Amino acid sequence: MELVMAILIGVLFTAAVYLILSRSLLKIIIGTGLLSHGAHLLILTMGGLGGLAPPVIAEGVTDFADPLPQALILTAIVISFGVTAFMLVMAYRAYAVHKTDDMNQMKGNNEHD
Amino acid sequence: MTLEFVLLIFLPIVAALFIPLLFRKIKGIHTGWFVLAVPVLLFIYYTSFVKTTMDGGHALSELQWIPSLGISFVSYLDGLSVLFSLLITGIGALVVLYSIFYLDKNKEKLGNFYVYLLLFMSAMLGVVQSDNVISLYLFWELTSISSFLLIGYWFTRDRSRFGALKSMMVTVFGGLMMLGGFILLGIMGGTFSIRELIAKSSSFVGHEFFTLALVLILLGAFTKSAQFPFYIWLPDAMEAPTPVSAYLHSATMVKAGLYLVARFTPIFAASEVWIWLVTGIGLLTLFWGSLFAVKQTDLKAILAFSTVSQLGLIMSLLGAGAITFHVNEALFSFAMFAAIFHLINHATFKGSLFMIAGIVDHETGTRDIRKLGGLMSIMPVSFTVAFIGSMSMAGLPPFNGFLSKEMFLQSMLAIRHFEYFNFATWGVVFPVVAWIASVFTFIYSFYFVFKTFTGKQKVGKLPQEPHEAPIGMLISPVILASLVVAIFFIPNVVGKWLVKPAVMAIQPYQYSHPSEVEVHVSAWHGFASVELWMTIGIIIIGALLYLSLSKWQKFYGIQPDSISLNAMYDATMTFSEKGMNRLSRLYMTGLIRTYLLYIFAFLSVTTIAMLFLQDAFVVDMSSFSKISLYGLINAVILLLAVAFVLLSKTRLGAIISLGAVGYSVALFFVIFKAPDLALTQLVIETVSVALFLLAFQRLPKLSDHGETKSNKLVNGIIALGVGVTVTLVALSSHSQKLVASISQYYKDTVETEAGGGNIVNVILVDYRGFDTLFEIAVLAIAGIGVLGMIKLRLARKESSDENK
């Protein structure tokens, strides 16, 4: 299963990077969303996909899934959500001020050379 | 000795602290009078060491600075450093005296001038007395800095600033190279003390760093002592006030390089490279400087090129003196003596000549030799001094320059008999070049003194009515000129007191007591000596060439300005500035895509390269878990959703597809037994989609802004590269787990230690509660940030309006 997941994660990263390299601010934000999904799945996969039961203590269960990567991902999900929300509002504000979402037009001016 | 005389090195700096105060508070007295006490006291003090060094002894005083790194301030006074200390303080005193009359106390910023000058004096004393190479380097750079400040003293003039910058660039370049050499020496010898390095020097030969350290240290010496091709800063440094030119750029600072070469001779003389470089570059500089001195029309420029040339002469003698390391014959043994002797002579006559050039400038308003002439009857004292100095420079009796020139020619002739290192083949070139250079020296010496003081009087055309300088201004040059004559008559006294101890310090492998240096200076060698006939030849040919000067001086115009060394320096500076500008404009495009391309390309290329170069790419199928059907189906769903995200033409389509990706990730969490994750992912994905919808409603339509096909292709390739990198790294790292997971501990202790059943939750709030705390903080900050961005725009707008 890890092989499938590794390829899947590769696809997620490819799509994310492709979007991040585009000129549209919207696509960049979507790209970061995909990137965090890829990263979360990567952490999970690297922890090992074996384990017959969820990591909750119950009678007669010995083969738990690894709880540590899950805890790490949980933290990461929340943080990436916070960052995404912040970026969305920032994109909204940037558009309100600059009237564009074209990254080529948002480049720095020559004043600070 | 009870007094820690290492502290005296810092005396001028301490005195400098009071100068601004004296300059501000005491307006009636020229500040220079207070300054004068410092070099005079030091000079008297350092003369007391002459007795010690004459007996072959030395004095040592140490001040710990960073003992743990072996760095300290040391005042090591042997023959060589006493000689230099006396030069520095002695000529320093004369220069300060001269400057009192040269600089007007009401018009000039004397406070600055004397602070810089005293700073320089300390630095110079530190250079020549330091036994520790690191503190030597410290003082060395301090001379560069104070020289920079002094050259740029009249900082409102463009030429001054240009000259100051140029000298700074060249000498600091050399200084840094020298530091490299010092550190290599420190590595080789395991100590920073020069004496200990000399003691260990026999083990350095053949060491891999030996030649590199040698070349680096020579670079430092050559740049400071204005050797070819680094002499270019010296003529431009003539924008400094004349006392500075006399002090720094003829008598002291430019000799720091010579001092360095002399000091390190016992370490490096074993090397063929050292002898060739020091002798060869010295001779080339001598020839080049003398050749171009005749071209100059500015009095100080003539003297600058003459200084370059004379420094080359001393340098070549130092190189020839190093030969004694290999051949202990009387034939070569006086080269070092000649070098030190000429060093003293040069300091006396060049100091006086600079002061005369300053007087001429001061009293006539110009230094252009084409405008001057016939000043002899108006300025008789200045003329006498200039005549003495010039004749000594030309190498004529009865002046000290004659003696050292004879010894120089004798040494260059002796080189023919040195049989190692290909000198037998090339040695004959040395006396020939030296002789031609001496002819030109003769010409520019005459050119300097006679074009200024004889010929037609051009009084009416001068900017000022010329008259003799005030007595105070003449005292210093007259003292120096008297020394020039006096040394001719008592060369062996000077030799015994100053030169022989110095020679012993430079050649400790040969002499253990100054009296063993068996050199007797005599003005007359008899008709049989070749040098005498060479000197007569110099006088005859030189006189003929000088008389026909107007006929051939114009040939100098043939050389176009564009291929001179100065033009090369300027071109290098412009090129580095423009080139660097162009380079950074090339890669700093200001576009975020470009930077991300660099980052991603670097990431994937280096990671994949390392994976395969280190044979790290291993896939171990046995560690993989079984493929589940649900997993496969979900993977297909996720792939489809990703494809829709990429292909979607509308905002809504893209958001919905992104949501689909999120939900299928949540499904994966279900499949892989992570209920908490699945729950969180579902909730957060829902909220995110809602947020996206909310925000995107106010954003423009999804568009690629007319991105070109080729850009898209490059993006695709880079993206694919990153994707492949991640997959490969994931596979190979999963296949090569080195240690077992620590999760077993959590599983075992979650109930007994923490009293919970849900291991993930217990980890989040108990085992690793800190993560959770700060994750909460992140959310809070994000919330405040969002609020700020929405609410605070009015205030920001106002402030940005104000900035405009």
Side-chain angles (χ1 to χ4, degrees):
Chain A
M1 196 64 213
E2 276 85 346
L3 182 65
V4 178
M5 291 307 289
I7 293 166
L8 198 61
I9 291 160
V11 173
L12 273 172
F13 269 84
T14 307
V17 170
Y18 182 76
L19 286 171
I20 288 174
L21 288 172
S22 70
R23 276 170 70 172
S24 157
L25 183 56
L26 307 177
K27 288 188 174 179
I28 292 177
I29 299 177
I30 296 174
T32 55
L34 286 182
L35 196 70
S36 46
H37 286 317
H40 300 156
L41 285 180
L42 182 64
I43 302 175
L44 193 74
T45 311
M46 290 298 98
L49 297 174
L52 292 171
V56 179
I57 299 294
E59 277 303 317
V61 181
T62 49
D63 189 9
F64 298 115
D66 194 336
L68 191 57
Q70 296 192 12
L72 297 180
I73 295 167
L74 201 59
T75 312
I77 288 175
V78 176
I79 290 176
S80 67
F81 167 71
V83 174
T84 308
F86 186 83
M87 275 176 59
L88 272 172
V89 177
M90 200 155 71
Y92 154 68
R93 285 295 305 146
Y95 182 67
V97 174
H98 299 295
K99 303 289 176 223
T100 181
D101 77 326
D102 184 353
M103 294 311 290
N104 279 17
Q105 291 181 32
M106 288 197 197
K107 72 175 201 169
N109 53 27
N110 289 329
E111 274 173 37
H112 302 293
D113 273 4
Chain B
M1 193 158 299
T2 51
L3 177 68
E4 283 291 338
F5 56 86
V6 61
L7 297 175
L8 287 180
I9 292 177
F10 301 97
L11 178 70
I13 287 186
V14 175
L17 293 177
F18 296 97
I19 294 301
L21 193 72
L22 289 170
F23 177 59
R24 295 255 170 79
K25 295 291 170 198
I26 305 175
K27 291 278 180 199
I29 305 170
H30 195 286
T31 318
W33 290 113
F34 302 108
V35 179
L36 188 58
V38 176
V40 169
L41 282 175
L42 286 175
F43 181 78
I44 293 168
Y45 182 73
Y46 286 124
T47 47
S48 69
F49 286 95
V50 173
K51 186 88 185 67
T52 318
T53 54
M54 264 173 73
D55 296 334
H58 62 82
L60 190 73
S61 166
E62 190 168 0
L63 179 70
Q64 289 293 338
W65 180 23
I66 313 174
S68 57
L69 296 178
I71 298 173
S72 56
F73 291 113
V74 183
S75 174
Y76 174 67
L77 288 172
D78 62 357
L80 188 63
S81 32
V82 165
L83 167 67
F84 269 92
S85 301
L86 287 175
L87 275 181
I88 292 160
T89 50
I91 298 194
L94 295 176
V95 162
V96 170
L97 182 65
Y98 175 77
S99 72
I100 292 171
F101 296 93
Y102 187 84
L103 295 171
D104 192 300
K105 73 168 185 274
N106 297 318
K107 289 182 195 153
E108 301 284 356
K109 295 191 179 70
L110 290 179
N112 295 358
F113 181 79
Y114 287 112
V115 167
Y116 303 157
L117 199 72
L118 286 170
L119 198 66
F120 170 78
M121 203 179 288
S122 263
M124 211 49 218
L125 285 174
V127 165
V128 299
Q129 294 182 9
S130 283
D131 179 56
N132 188 293
V133 286
I134 300 297
S135 56
L136 169 58
Y137 171 73
L138 178 87
F139 288 119
W140 183 277
E141 291 300 26
L142 196 57
T143 64
S144 294
I145 292 167
S146 49
S147 163
F148 169 81
L149 291 169
L150 283 166
I151 298 169
Y153 175 65
W154 286 309
F155 54 81
T156 49
R157 302 181 188 171
D158 282 343
R159 297 287 315 160
S160 296
R161 293 200 302 272
F162 175 76
L165 186 65
K166 192 173 184 179
S167 72
M168 186 78 161
M169 294 299 286
V170 175
T171 52
V172 167
F173 161 76
L176 284 174
M177 296 296 119
M178 189 186 82
L179 177 64
F182 284 169
I183 291 172
L184 289 181
L185 265 186
I187 294 171
M188 282 193 284
T191 172
F192 286 132
S193 160
I194 296 175
R195 279 171 307 140
E196 289 171 30
L197 284 171
I198 289 173
K200 291 181 184 175
S201 60
S202 54
S203 65
F204 296 165
V205 184
H207 195 285
E208 54 178 334
F209 292 153
F210 182 68
T211 309
L212 184 59
L214 184 160
V215 172
L216 288 176
I217 289 178
L218 274 188
L219 267 178
F222 286 170
T223 48
K224 200 72 155 182
S225 277
Q227 298 296 295
F228 186 88
F230 305 111
Y231 70 85
I232 49 170
W233 65 268
L234 189 62
D236 283 309
M238 290 301 132
E239 294 304 319
T242 302
V244 174
S245 308
Y247 189 35
L248 276 69
H249 306 127
S250 74
T252 52
M253 188 180 84
V254 287
K255 298 212 163 95
L258 300 176
Y259 169 79
L260 198 75
V261 169
R263 185 52 91 196
F264 283 89
T265 293
I267 298 180
F268 291 119
S271 163
E272 169 187 8
V273 184
W274 176 268
I275 294 174
W276 264 110
L277 273 181
V278 176
T279 320
I281 296 286
L283 210 62
L284 178 60
T285 312
L286 163 68
F287 179 71
W288 193 274
S290 65
L291 193 63
F292 282 93
V294 189
K295 184 189 177 185
Q296 310 304 318
T297 52
D298 178 85
L299 286 186
K300 280 173 85 175
I302 300 173
L303 292 178
F305 274 93
S306 132
T307 303
V308 169
S309 158
Q310 302 277 320
L311 291 170
L313 188 156
I314 301 172
M315 193 65 90
S316 65
L317 280 174
L318 288 174
I323 289 177
T324 52
F325 189 89
H326 303 274
V327 186
N328 195 354
E329 279 177 32
L331 202 53
F332 304 105
S333 61
F334 54 82
M336 203 57 90
F337 185 95
I340 301 298
F341 190 51
H342 192 67
L343 194 143
I344 301 174
N345 295 344
H346 177 251
T348 54
F349 68 69
K350 191 54 64 68
S352 69
L353 285 178
F354 263 110
M355 289 176 186
I356 293 301
I359 288 174
V360 170
D361 187 17
H362 204 261
E363 305 306 333
T364 64
T366 182
R367 294 196 316 247
D368 192 329
I369 202 159
R370 290 167 298 190
K371 294 181 186 159
L372 295 164
L375 294 173
M376 184 160 65
S377 54
I378 304 168
M379 305 167 76
V381 183
S382 306
F383 168 70
T384 313
V385 174
F387 180 78
I388 293 172
S390 299
M391 292 308 109
S392 176
M393 185 156 75
L396 297 181
F399 308 108
N400 58 8
F402 171 72
L403 302 173
S404 38
K405 174 96 17 131
E406 292 273 280
M407 301 186 78
F408 167 64
L409 293 173
Q410 206 179 343
S411 307
M412 289 299 126
L413 284 169
I415 285 191
R416 286 178 305 159
H417 304 292
F418 183 50
E419 282 157 2
Y420 303 100
F421 310 149
N422 296 324
F423 269 90
T425 329
W426 294 99
V428 72
V429 177
F430 287 73
V432 174
V433 175
W435 186 79
I436 299 173
S438 301
V439 172
F440 275 97
T441 308
F442 182 89
I443 299 169
Y444 73 65
S445 302
F446 273 60
Y447 174 60
F448 174 80
V449 65
F450 290 119
K451 292 282 180 204
T452 312
F453 289 98
T454 62
K456 234 175 24 192
Q457 282 197 8
K458 302 171 187 172
V459 175
K461 293 172 192 163
L462 292 172
Q464 270 171 253
E465 179 69 22
H467 51 78
E468 185 57 282
I471 291 176
M473 215 168 182
L474 286 168
I475 297 173
S476 301
V478 167
I479 291 176
L480 286 172
S482 335
L483 280 174
V484 169
V485 182
I487 292 175
F488 177 79
F489 290 105
I490 52 158
N492 291 309
V493 177
V494 178
K496 191 178 166 209
W497 285 359
L498 296 172
V499 183
K500 284 183 181 178
V503 171
M504 191 204 96
I506 303 171
Q507 301 179 327
Y509 47 82
Q510 199 179 3
Y511 306 115
S512 56
H513 195 275
S515 60
E516 292 172 24
V517 186
E518 285 168 353
V519 179
H520 186 82
V521 192
S522 56
W524 183 246
H525 298 285
F527 284 113
S529 71
V530 188
E531 306 89 81
L532 179 73
W533 294 106
M534 284 176 87
T535 308
I536 292 172
I538 289 168
I539 295 172
I540 294 170
I541 304 285
L544 286 176
L545 280 173
Y546 171 71
L547 291 173
S548 57
L549 185 63
S550 55
K551 292 198 178 63
W552 57 270
Q553 201 180 20
K554 58 177 178 282
F555 285 115
Y556 281 113
I558 292 173
Q559 182 213 18
D561 284 338
S562 55
I563 57 165
S564 65
L565 284 167
N566 279 318
M568 275 169 64
Y569 168 83
D570 291 340
T572 314
M573 297 302 278
T574 328
F575 175 78
S576 359
E577 197 181 320
K578 291 233 171 97
M580 284 301 136
N581 243 325
R582 212 173 291 161
L583 184 67
S584 38
R585 274 175 200 287
L586 194 69
Y587 73 89
M588 300 290 285
T589 56
L591 296 174
I592 192 163
R593 172 176 173 264
T594 330
Y595 305 139
L596 287 171
L597 276 183
Y598 301 149
I599 295 169
F600 286 130
F602 180 80
L603 176 96
S604 41
V605 168
T606 48
T607 315
I608 293 182
M610 283 313 280
L611 264 184
F612 289 99
L613 285 176
Q614 302 288 324
D615 286 331
F617 183 65
V618 181
V619 179
D620 175 16
M621 290 287 189
S622 66
S623 71
F624 292 170
S625 59
K626 266 208 325 262
I627 296 180
S628 74
L629 184 62
Y630 294 125
L632 267 186
I633 294 171
N634 198 30
V636 173
I637 294 172
L638 202 149
L639 278 179
L640 284 175
V642 171
F644 277 124
V645 172
L646 285 177
L647 295 174
S648 177
K649 297 279 180 219
T650 61
R651 291 174 292 178
L652 202 62
I655 298 166
I656 301 292
S657 315
L658 184 64
V661 172
Y663 289 128
S664 57
V665 169
L667 268 182
F668 267 123
F669 292 151
V670 172
I671 293 168
F672 295 132
K673 313 286 186 293
D676 300 290
L677 285 185
L679 197 65
T680 318
Q681 180 67 30
L682 279 175
V683 174
I684 291 228
E685 199 55 42
T686 311
V687 179
S688 294
V689 169
L691 260 176
F692 269 95
L693 287 173
L694 208 65
F696 276 35
Q697 196 192 355
R698 296 173 183 270
L699 290 177
K701 289 205 159 56
L702 207 55
S703 154
D704 62 3
H705 298 289
E707 185 88 273
T708 58
K709 280 239 162 56
S710 64
N711 272 5
K712 281 185 176 174
L713 184 67
V714 173
N715 292 357
I717 291 169
I718 297 289
L720 196 65
V722 174
V724 170
T725 310
V726 172
T727 304
L728 294 182
V729 169
L731 286 176
S732 46
S733 63
H734 190 271
S735 305
Q736 304 175 73
K737 281 192 177 162
L738 298 176
V739 289
S741 168
I742 57 164
S743 297
Q744 193 56 44
Y745 169 78
Y746 296 129
K747 294 171 189 168
D748 293 341
T749 61
V750 68
E751 275 195 313
T752 52
E753 299 285 334
N758 185 330
I759 309 178
V760 174
N761 285 2
V762 171
I763 289 177
L764 281 175
V765 298
D766 194 324
Y767 290 116
R768 300 176 59 91
F770 267 121
D771 287 358
T772 314
L773 177 66
F774 291 109
E775 154 197 347
I776 293 167
V778 167
L779 268 192
I781 292 167
I784 296 169
V786 167
L787 193 72
M789 276 196 290
I790 293 172
K791 288 277 178 193
L792 297 180
R793 67 187 130 180
L794 197 63
R796 198 177 51 194
K797 193 163 192 281
E798 275 169 7
S799 70
S800 71
D801 283 345
E802 276 169 17
N803 287 339
K804 282 171 189 169

